Amino acid sequence: MSGASPAVADRLPPRARDATARFAVWLAICLLVTALLSLGGLLVGTTSLGRSLHWLLAPDAQSAIVLWDIRLPRTVGAWLVGALLGLGGAIAQAVFRNPLAEPYLLGTASGAALGVTLALLGSGASIGALAWAAELGMTGAAALGAGLAIVLTVALARGVLQTASLLLSGIVVGFLLSAITSLLLLAKPDLWRTMQVFLLGSTGYLSWSAVAVLGAAFLACAIPAVLLSRGLDALTLGEDTAQSLGLSLPALRLGLLAIVVVATAAAVAEVGVVGFVGLVAPHLVRETLTVNHRHLLIASPLCGGALLQAADLLSRWIMRPAELPVGAVTACLGGVYLAMLLWRRARNA
Amino acid sequence: MPEAAANEAPGASALACRELVVGYGERVVLDRISLELASGCWTAVVGPNGCGKSTLLRALAGLQAPRAGGVSLHGRPLTARPRRERARRLGWLAQSPAPSDLTAAEVVGLGRFAHSGWLAHRDVDDEAAVHRAMLATGSLRWAARKVSTLSGGERQRVHLARVLAVEANVLLLDEPTAFLDPPHQEDVARLLRRQAHGCGVAIVSAIHDLSLALTADRLVVLGEDGLVGHGSVPEALAGDWLSSAFRTRIDVVEHDGAYLWRPAVRSGAHD
């Protein structure tokens, strides 16, 4: 056709290597930040920074327990939860083709919390340090609740997968399921106090067994998600076009939503309801990188992990030696981010 | 180019539909349409707005389930073919493809989805097909740019490249010349002719511009009451199918062997 100069035509994607290089630099920066935040996670606590540093350099028996069995699983666990939420958000935004979709706003997190509450009521166990088998059971219960929530949300939005009505029904389902959780807990005042912290989202209970379950869930979600990423690329071209390319849309959606459900359930079962990480992480990635979905699904968990580690540090730092629920911190920061996002969209529209 | 196309004798029926009935809800858009679309032939679908051009193309592509009748691709029912095999043999271009944050090269690469699949890395054949398609449509310059930042015409050429990269032997294109300025429309027409005559591809495209449609090999003329006719351009002109389809006088003049639609300077035909 007219005018593709042969000089340009020689090589295929002329700037593809630049994009890959940018992605590599981005990953390096993200990992560096994560390393720094992890160090912070070891140092920040009820003791002074100087004392923590001394512990780190010259550990004794007691400090070893605080550092390696309390602070380290907490900071690793916070990363994994953030990563799961970042991944869940990135997938939800792509499947629903809605930039505001995320586990919290879709009601999935509330469904998972209801599942955990029912499991606790049924088993009489208390939230806190559980054996890994019990952690797994909690995750399963959370997954059932999250699955129920997503079915309800999609049914209420009448399967229309790309409109504002989806978000609206997600919020309705979220409120409804939260209300049921609250009613159940009102009947059990002894559970109410511990569950309050849980429902606000807290990284305080993360143990090594929780980290093991979270890590397994993360691998089980991230690997298939990255393998399915090309389908998500195709979906950005529209449903008809994706189908004409040889994609089975129902199977793709079902598989991806199952990943969102498992990711949300694992996160909620361990730390409760933590909102907005799933919204903010993919947005930050898209603002700093030109991404296809393979890159997005690799970068969003890394970004989400770092975000939740940072929020966890803040929650321990702001009111030292007391700590805030991490969910309250993410809700504040995420709420501000969402407001900015809406404001900017309204201005651009 | 496409291997399977070489096996098809030119003129053999590549895509056919029999007694096709398609509708949405209460409304029946296409009522008992039967067509035979030949390999090595560029067919333009013309007709007034809302007469069902897009619906026909969607139904032929298997994207819209018919209420009755069926579509067959190379003599076998479309629905009987596995999804990926169908996608390798039949390329489809939407009327207004959704804007995407992918780069142009990535979008064109998706045309190879049915060839390389989920896990397989794109191989040399895929890269070559993508390169050829982008070169043919003049979209190579934007390879690394986000599709959402391209102009309407540029985006259209990227999506056309995506369809060509499939290397299917049947192409269904809904308004492939939309958003293009006249010289580029002519480029696309030349490209489609070359694909049809040189590579034996069966091309069916909805074309809005009547003069451009008259440069095709054959016409499918749709009116509000269904199919007016399917035949060569001289047949269509002899039968005055266009006037019946548009329910107004359509004058076509011949100039240097080309048919041109002449807009009526002062139309007193209706209003």
Side-chain angles (χ1 to χ4, degrees):
Chain A
M1 249 160 106
S2 66
S5 71
V8 184
D10 282 338
R11 284 215 323 264
L12 182 50
R15 272 167 44 208
R17 243 180 264 153
D18 289 4
T20 313
R22 266 186 75 118
F23 185 62
V25 170
W26 191 97
L27 287 184
I29 292 173
C30 194
L31 291 175
L32 185 69
V33 169
T34 303
L36 289 175
L37 288 170
S38 304
L39 187 63
L42 282 180
L43 293 181
V44 175
T46 49
T47 51
S48 70
L49 274 184
R51 182 84 180 279
S52 298
L53 204 59
H54 177 73
W55 275 1
L56 194 62
L57 298 175
D60 56 47
Q62 188 211 345
S63 64
I65 292 177
V66 173
L67 288 180
W68 309 123
D69 286 342
I70 297 177
R71 291 187 188 168
L72 188 61
R74 177 175 180 162
T75 200
V76 174
W79 186 89
L80 283 167
V81 168
L84 282 164
L85 293 175
L87 180 70
I91 297 175
Q93 286 169 18
V95 172
F96 294 115
R97 291 168 67 199
N98 189 325
L100 296 183
E102 69 129 350
Y104 180 63
L105 291 177
L106 284 172
T108 328
S110 305
L114 177 60
V116 171
T117 307
L118 283 173
L120 285 176
L121 283 173
S123 67
S126 91
I127 197 95
L130 294 172
W132 69 267
E135 304 270 11
L136 213 57
M138 284 301 152
T139 306
L144 288 180
L148 171 77
I150 219 157
V151 168
L152 277 178
T153 300
V154 172
L156 198 64
R158 300 200 196 166
V160 182
L161 289 175
Q162 38 206 322
T163 55
S165 74
L166 178 86
L167 232 49
L168 218 52
S169 33
I171 289 164
V172 168
V173 168
F175 271 126
L176 193 75
L177 297 180
S178 302
I180 295 174
T181 306
S182 300
L183 283 175
L184 286 172
L185 286 175
L186 275 179
K188 286 265 182 185
D190 48 323
L191 254 181
W192 177 242
R193 256 188 68 108
T194 44
M195 284 303 287
Q196 187 101 51
V197 180
F198 172 76
L199 290 178
L200 284 171
S202 168
T203 33
Y205 299 118
L206 286 164
S207 59
W208 279 121
S209 57
V211 167
V213 173
L214 284 169
F218 179 64
L219 289 181
C221 290
I223 293 170
V226 171
L227 293 182
L228 291 176
S229 60
R230 219 168 159 214
L232 285 175
D233 279 348
L235 203 55
T236 65
L237 304 181
E239 298 184 10
D240 278 350
T241 302
Q243 229 171 317
S244 78
L245 292 172
L247 215 69
S248 161
L249 294 189
L252 177 69
R253 284 201 177 114
L254 202 66
L256 288 165
L257 288 183
I259 294 174
V260 173
V261 163
V262 171
T264 312
V268 170
E270 301 306 341
V271 304
V273 181
V274 174
F276 295 109
V277 174
L279 173 75
V280 175
H283 275 270
L284 286 182
V285 174
R286 267 195 289 257
E287 269 174 32
T288 47
L289 278 175
T290 303
V291 283
N292 56 33
H293 280 90
R294 196 164 63 86
H295 287 177
L296 185 71
L297 295 185
I298 291 170
S300 295
L302 296 178
C303 185
L307 278 178
L308 199 60
Q309 278 189 321
D312 178 43
L313 273 185
L314 273 180
S315 77
R316 285 190 245 168
W317 183 265
I318 294 172
M319 290 175 64
R320 263 174 318 143
E323 57 176 73
L324 287 169
V326 71
V329 175
T330 65
C332 286
L333 298 179
V336 171
Y337 186 85
L338 180 63
M340 268 167 45
L341 205 66
L342 293 176
W343 185 66
R344 214 164 49 187
R345 292 187 131 220
R347 222 178 37 163
N348 289 346
Chain B
M1 216 146 81
E3 303 150 37
N7 305 332
E8 307 292 334
S13 165
L15 189 67
C17 63
R18 211 153 287 302
E19 298 285 305
L20 199 64
V21 181
V22 187
Y24 306 95
E26 296 280 282
R27 203 164 88 88
V28 174
V29 182
L30 301 174
D31 196 12
R32 295 196 303 278
I33 304 272
S34 299
L35 291 170
E36 299 254 345
L37 301 156
S39 293
C41 177
W42 172 28
T43 308
V45 181
V46 294
N49 291 323
C51 68
K53 298 189 293 281
S54 293
T55 306
L56 175 64
L57 288 173
R58 279 171 49 86
L60 289 175
L63 295 169
Q64 170 90 36
R67 289 198 185 154
V71 178
S72 61
L73 179 63
H74 296 301
R76 230 177 108 192
L78 198 57
T79 46
R81 290 182 184 273
R83 186 180 304 109
R84 296 169 69 89
E85 188 206 310
R86 196 198 305 174
R88 279 194 297 270
R89 287 167 177 263
L90 197 150
W92 187 73
L93 176 69
Q95 189 163 25
S96 45
S100 166
D101 276 342
L102 298 175
T103 64
E106 282 166 342
V107 167
V108 179
L110 282 171
R112 301 300 293 173
F113 184 80
H115 297 264
S116 54
W118 294 103
L119 309 180
H121 199 71
R122 286 218 310 245
D123 62 14
V124 185
D125 284 352
D126 295 328
E127 298 293 349
V130 168
H131 186 260
R132 267 198 304 273
M134 295 191 85
L135 199 60
T137 53
S139 57
L140 207 53
R141 264 170 297 173
W142 317 304
R145 275 179 63 190
K146 276 190 191 186
V147 173
S148 55
T149 66
L150 298 175
S151 75
E154 290 167 342
R155 197 178 299 170
Q156 189 73 14
R157 284 152 75 181
V158 170
H159 281 281
L160 198 60
R162 189 205 81 228
V163 177
L164 291 182
V166 177
E167 304 201 321
N169 37 36
V170 176
L171 299 183
L172 297 169
L173 315 170
D174 200 350
E175 301 283 356
T177 53
F179 311 109
L180 295 176
D181 43 45
H184 283 128
Q185 289 188 10
E186 180 44 37
D187 283 340
V188 169
R190 208 176 307 129
L191 180 67
L192 298 184
R193 230 171 277 133
R194 201 164 59 226
Q195 287 284 312
H197 302 162
C199 311
V201 177
I203 296 177
V204 185
S205 61
I207 300 269
H208 222 81
D209 185 317
L210 282 180
S211 297
L212 196 67
L214 289 168
T215 65
D217 301 323
R218 290 171 78 78
L219 291 180
V220 167
V221 183
L222 286 177
E224 261 146 49
D225 302 322
L227 186 65
V228 176
H230 173 209
S232 66
V233 174
E235 278 177 298
L237 295 177
D240 206 12
W241 294 349
L242 293 175
S243 298
S244 326
F246 286 89
R247 291 190 172 150
T248 183
R249 174 105 218 102
I250 302 275
D251 284 324
V252 173
V253 293
E254 202 184 331
H255 178 76
D256 270 355
Y259 298 106
L260 297 171
W261 167 60
R262 187 178 64 189
V265 180
R266 219 176 324 172
S267 136
H270 56 123
D271 289 310

